[in-house]
Amino acid sequence: MIRKAFHLLSSLKLTIACLAAGIVLVFAGTLAQVNYGIHIVQERYFQSLFVWWPPEGRGLKFPVFPGGHLIGAILVLNLIAAHARRFRWGWGKLGIHLTHAGLIVLLVGGLLTDLLAVESHMRLAQGDTKNYSEDQRGMELAVIDTTVDAELEQVTAIPETLLRKRSEITHSSLPFRILVRNFFQNSRLYMVSESNARLRPIATQGVGAQVAVQAVPRATSMDDRDVISAVIEIIPHEVGAKSLGTWLVSDALGAPQTFSSAGRTWRIELRSARYYKPYSVTLQKFTHERYPGTEIPKNFASRITLIDPERSVNRDVLIYMNHPLRYRGETFYQAGFQKDDSASILQVVRNPGFVTPYVACVIVALGLLVQFGSHLITFSRRRRTALA
Amino acid sequence: MAPDHRKILRTRTPPEHGRPGCAASGRLAWRVWRKAVFRLTLGAVFAVAVLSCNRQDEQIRVYRVVKAPLENPAPPSMPPPSSMSLPPDHPPVGGSPSAPAAAAQTASKLPAPPHWEPQPLAQMRKASFLVRGENGTIADISLVTLGASGSDVLGNVNRWLGQLGQPAITAEQLPKLVQQLPGDLSRVTVVDIEGKPEQGDPNKDGRIIAAIAPTENGTDFFKLRGNPALTGAERENFLTWVGAMRTGGK
């Protein structure tokens, strides 16, 4: 049985089937981008084990096709199994082995990047200092204890994925539990007091008592993003304590809301997920050069000051196109700027597997060089022998 | 005589593992390799499984940060005892564009006509003023920021028309009611509408001049609403203020 499974896993037919499935997946994913946009398609087609049908709703779902992760994982296992099964040692096959090893490193590196890489951005106006970057798509519900310390505040960051599950959220840092009553992946907010009578406020406390929320289809354009909203109920742990009511939290609200519980003051806010760093970045100057007489960008650059108290670093760095700053495992790229040049946008990438594509390319190149080189040498020798 | 290349290419080298002496070492290498590959594969599958189950996006994180300077104006006498702490001469850290205190301060720093009376900020308002005219007439001025979804001009115009008791319009009728500000402010859409809201007080209501200004993070709604004559008289002041808010007072 095991032998049969091993033979199946190492068969060339499986390789062909996976490659064919990959082609179909890429084709279907490309077509699906018309309706769903690149981010949703990436999530559903390529960063998943299966493509599910129907894609929307919470009802019964069926896997209709293998997703990118499954195809990639099977390909890696197939490559390793085939290599293990058919391997015969010999210097003549060194090139083949190296090439295959390079491919395995490439596939595993791709999977690692997908699982571990974090992309965020840092928007800095001239003179701004920040020690955090913000996720480009992921949100978090920040529950902030503002009275924990005179100079510090304690943030309990609840990821959007937990809100989406609409479950009960408890944590040892919170003297209350949070019940997610409603979740909107994309929404529009309307002021009830300024609208017609058909709209009802979505919550009982805070700004939500004046706001109605309408669910809308997910954003599909490259430049758009979903406006996530949720209604949460806050229930203190204390025995006999009353619920603190329902609160609206939304990406569209411009300000956090406050309440008191267990003798402390809390602030809640749905915001882009933040990644704090043990160092800070200050934007000293943003330069946007254009070609004379046109609006075509020639160069844009940010001169920043990097201060890291732990490592006693205090230095100025110029970040510009194709000249990122690499520091503490993160890479800062000059990604964009605000339209009136009032702020610079740096993309911050943490990718522990960033070196794998380079390593893989070197191994594959070496393998091909050895393979074709050895053939060339053999051919030349035989030619010489035949000529002699 | 020229060599026969086809013959040369067809000639095969005898397999190395077929040679006496090479067979034993080949078999040993084969065993070692299989074991290594098997263990490596198991390890890789286990590592990927652990990584998949331990996704960061499902974990609640707790951390302490320095309070934003606007919420804690007193300078810290000692460096905060956290890994996020900064040296004493470090510039203040923060800059959240959505911080209410920051927004309020920005709004109050920018030029508003002196006769506009600043009002307490309601939860969604980043700026709020009241202007008083003759005979008890008033007009209310506000700035509210919503997410990108709020930038639907037709939807907002129809909402404001509804507030003034007017029927909704179609997309074809929209260009007659709206105009863009000139120059660098061309992305700002201005609408000026009048009407008689049911049970509305004509001293306080009857005309809305609003500006919809898309930003990087969402949409700014500037609104002047009140007595029609007073609202009309304040139109220039209002648009100047909108321009100043958009350009940071430059």
Side-chain angles (χ1 to χ4, degrees), chain B residues 144-157:
Chain B
V144 170
T145 298
L146 289 180
S149 66
S151 60
D152 168 23
V153 175
L154 182 62
N156 283 297
V157 169

PDB file of all heavy atoms in Angstrom, chain B residues 144-157:
ATOM      1  N   VAL B 144     -16.379  66.376   8.121  1.00  0.00           N
ATOM      2  CA  VAL B 144     -16.492  64.973   8.528  1.00  0.00           C
ATOM      3  C   VAL B 144     -15.679  64.147   7.541  1.00  0.00           C
ATOM      4  O   VAL B 144     -15.716  64.408   6.336  1.00  0.00           O
ATOM      5  CB  VAL B 144     -17.972  64.513   8.528  1.00  0.00           C
ATOM      6  CG1 VAL B 144     -18.089  63.015   8.714  1.00  0.00           C
ATOM      7  CG2 VAL B 144     -18.746  65.234   9.615  1.00  0.00           C
ATOM      8  N   THR B 145     -14.925  63.192   8.033  1.00  0.00           N
ATOM      9  CA  THR B 145     -14.167  62.306   7.139  1.00  0.00           C
ATOM     10  C   THR B 145     -14.753  60.913   7.198  1.00  0.00           C
ATOM     11  O   THR B 145     -14.950  60.374   8.284  1.00  0.00           O
ATOM     12  CB  THR B 145     -12.684  62.270   7.557  1.00  0.00           C
ATOM     13  OG1 THR B 145     -12.155  63.584   7.432  1.00  0.00           O
ATOM     14  CG2 THR B 145     -11.891  61.324   6.670  1.00  0.00           C
ATOM     15  N   LEU B 146     -15.032  60.371   6.028  1.00  0.00           N
ATOM     16  CA  LEU B 146     -15.483  58.983   5.943  1.00  0.00           C
ATOM     17  C   LEU B 146     -14.535  58.215   5.034  1.00  0.00           C
ATOM     18  O   LEU B 146     -13.690  58.805   4.381  1.00  0.00           O
ATOM     19  CB  LEU B 146     -16.910  58.905   5.395  1.00  0.00           C
ATOM     20  CG  LEU B 146     -18.024  59.392   6.320  1.00  0.00           C
ATOM     21  CD1 LEU B 146     -19.356  59.250   5.630  1.00  0.00           C
ATOM     22  CD2 LEU B 146     -18.054  58.609   7.627  1.00  0.00           C
ATOM     23  N   GLY B 147     -14.709  56.889   5.001  1.00  0.00           N
ATOM     24  CA  GLY B 147     -13.847  56.057   4.156  1.00  0.00           C
ATOM     25  C   GLY B 147     -14.100  56.336   2.684  1.00  0.00           C
ATOM     26  O   GLY B 147     -14.958  57.144   2.326  1.00  0.00           O
ATOM     27  N   ALA B 148     -13.331  55.648   1.856  1.00  0.00           N
ATOM     28  CA  ALA B 148     -13.398  55.887   0.411  1.00  0.00           C
ATOM     29  C   ALA B 148     -14.794  55.670  -0.155  1.00  0.00           C
ATOM     30  O   ALA B 148     -15.177  56.258  -1.149  1.00  0.00           O
ATOM     31  CB  ALA B 148     -12.398  54.997  -0.297  1.00  0.00           C
ATOM     32  N   SER B 149     -15.581  54.802   0.520  1.00  0.00           N
ATOM     33  CA  SER B 149     -16.904  54.480  -0.003  1.00  0.00           C
ATOM     34  C   SER B 149     -17.814  55.697  -0.007  1.00  0.00           C
ATOM     35  O   SER B 149     -18.823  55.724  -0.671  1.00  0.00           O
ATOM     36  CB  SER B 149     -17.526  53.382   0.836  1.00  0.00           C
ATOM     37  OG  SER B 149     -17.765  53.866   2.130  1.00  0.00           O
ATOM     38  N   GLY B 150     -17.459  56.711   0.796  1.00  0.00           N
ATOM     39  CA  GLY B 150     -18.333  57.863   0.902  1.00  0.00           C
ATOM     40  C   GLY B 150     -18.252  58.817  -0.275  1.00  0.00           C
ATOM     41  O   GLY B 150     -18.970  59.804  -0.331  1.00  0.00           O
ATOM     42  N   SER B 151     -17.340  58.524  -1.233  1.00  0.00           N
ATOM     43  CA  SER B 151     -17.086  59.503  -2.284  1.00  0.00           C
ATOM     44  C   SER B 151     -18.099  59.469  -3.423  1.00  0.00           C
ATOM     45  O   SER B 151     -17.908  60.123  -4.431  1.00  0.00           O
ATOM     46  CB  SER B 151     -15.679  59.297  -2.841  1.00  0.00           C
ATOM     47  OG  SER B 151     -15.589  58.009  -3.366  1.00  0.00           O
ATOM     48  N   ASP B 152     -19.184  58.725  -3.281  1.00  0.00           N
ATOM     49  CA  ASP B 152     -20.209  58.650  -4.313  1.00  0.00           C
ATOM     50  C   ASP B 152     -20.963  59.983  -4.338  1.00  0.00           C
ATOM     51  O   ASP B 152     -21.804  60.252  -3.478  1.00  0.00           O
ATOM     52  CB  ASP B 152     -21.134  57.472  -3.989  1.00  0.00           C
ATOM     53  CG  ASP B 152     -22.387  57.476  -4.829  1.00  0.00           C
ATOM     54  OD1 ASP B 152     -22.352  58.084  -5.909  1.00  0.00           O
ATOM     55  OD2 ASP B 152     -23.388  56.883  -4.392  1.00  0.00           O
ATOM     56  N   VAL B 153     -20.667  60.819  -5.350  1.00  0.00           N
ATOM     57  CA  VAL B 153     -21.208  62.183  -5.379  1.00  0.00           C
ATOM     58  C   VAL B 153     -22.725  62.166  -5.521  1.00  0.00           C
ATOM     59  O   VAL B 153     -23.441  62.840  -4.772  1.00  0.00           O
ATOM     60  CB  VAL B 153     -20.552  62.999  -6.524  1.00  0.00           C
ATOM     61  CG1 VAL B 153     -21.194  64.377  -6.635  1.00  0.00           C
ATOM     62  CG2 VAL B 153     -19.060  63.135  -6.269  1.00  0.00           C
ATOM     63  N   LEU B 154     -23.221  61.367  -6.460  1.00  0.00           N
ATOM     64  CA  LEU B 154     -24.675  61.345  -6.701  1.00  0.00           C
ATOM     65  C   LEU B 154     -25.428  60.915  -5.434  1.00  0.00           C
ATOM     66  O   LEU B 154     -26.429  61.528  -5.057  1.00  0.00           O
ATOM     67  CB  LEU B 154     -24.997  60.397  -7.865  1.00  0.00           C
ATOM     68  CG  LEU B 154     -26.470  60.310  -8.243  1.00  0.00           C
ATOM     69  CD1 LEU B 154     -27.001  61.662  -8.713  1.00  0.00           C
ATOM     70  CD2 LEU B 154     -26.713  59.243  -9.311  1.00  0.00           C
ATOM     71  N   GLY B 155     -24.935  59.878  -4.782  1.00  0.00           N
ATOM     72  CA  GLY B 155     -25.596  59.390  -3.563  1.00  0.00           C
ATOM     73  C   GLY B 155     -25.648  60.467  -2.491  1.00  0.00           C
ATOM     74  O   GLY B 155     -26.681  60.665  -1.834  1.00  0.00           O
ATOM     75  N   ASN B 156     -24.555  61.201  -2.348  1.00  0.00           N
ATOM     76  CA  ASN B 156     -24.516  62.237  -1.320  1.00  0.00           C
ATOM     77  C   ASN B 156     -25.400  63.426  -1.676  1.00  0.00           C
ATOM     78  O   ASN B 156     -26.082  63.978  -0.817  1.00  0.00           O
ATOM     79  CB  ASN B 156     -23.074  62.701  -1.104  1.00  0.00           C
ATOM     80  CG  ASN B 156     -22.299  61.692  -0.276  1.00  0.00           C
ATOM     81  OD1 ASN B 156     -22.624  61.452   0.873  1.00  0.00           O
ATOM     82  ND2 ASN B 156     -21.309  61.057  -0.887  1.00  0.00           N
ATOM     83  N   VAL B 157     -25.370  63.801  -2.961  1.00  0.00           N
ATOM     84  CA  VAL B 157     -26.209  64.931  -3.384  1.00  0.00           C
ATOM     85  C   VAL B 157     -27.678  64.594  -3.154  1.00  0.00           C
ATOM     86  O   VAL B 157     -28.453  65.407  -2.635  1.00  0.00           O
ATOM     87  CB  VAL B 157     -25.930  65.289  -4.861  1.00  0.00           C
ATOM     88  CG1 VAL B 157     -26.958  66.270  -5.386  1.00  0.00           C
ATOM     89  CG2 VAL B 157     -24.535  65.869  -5.016  1.00  0.00           C
TER      90      VAL B 157
END
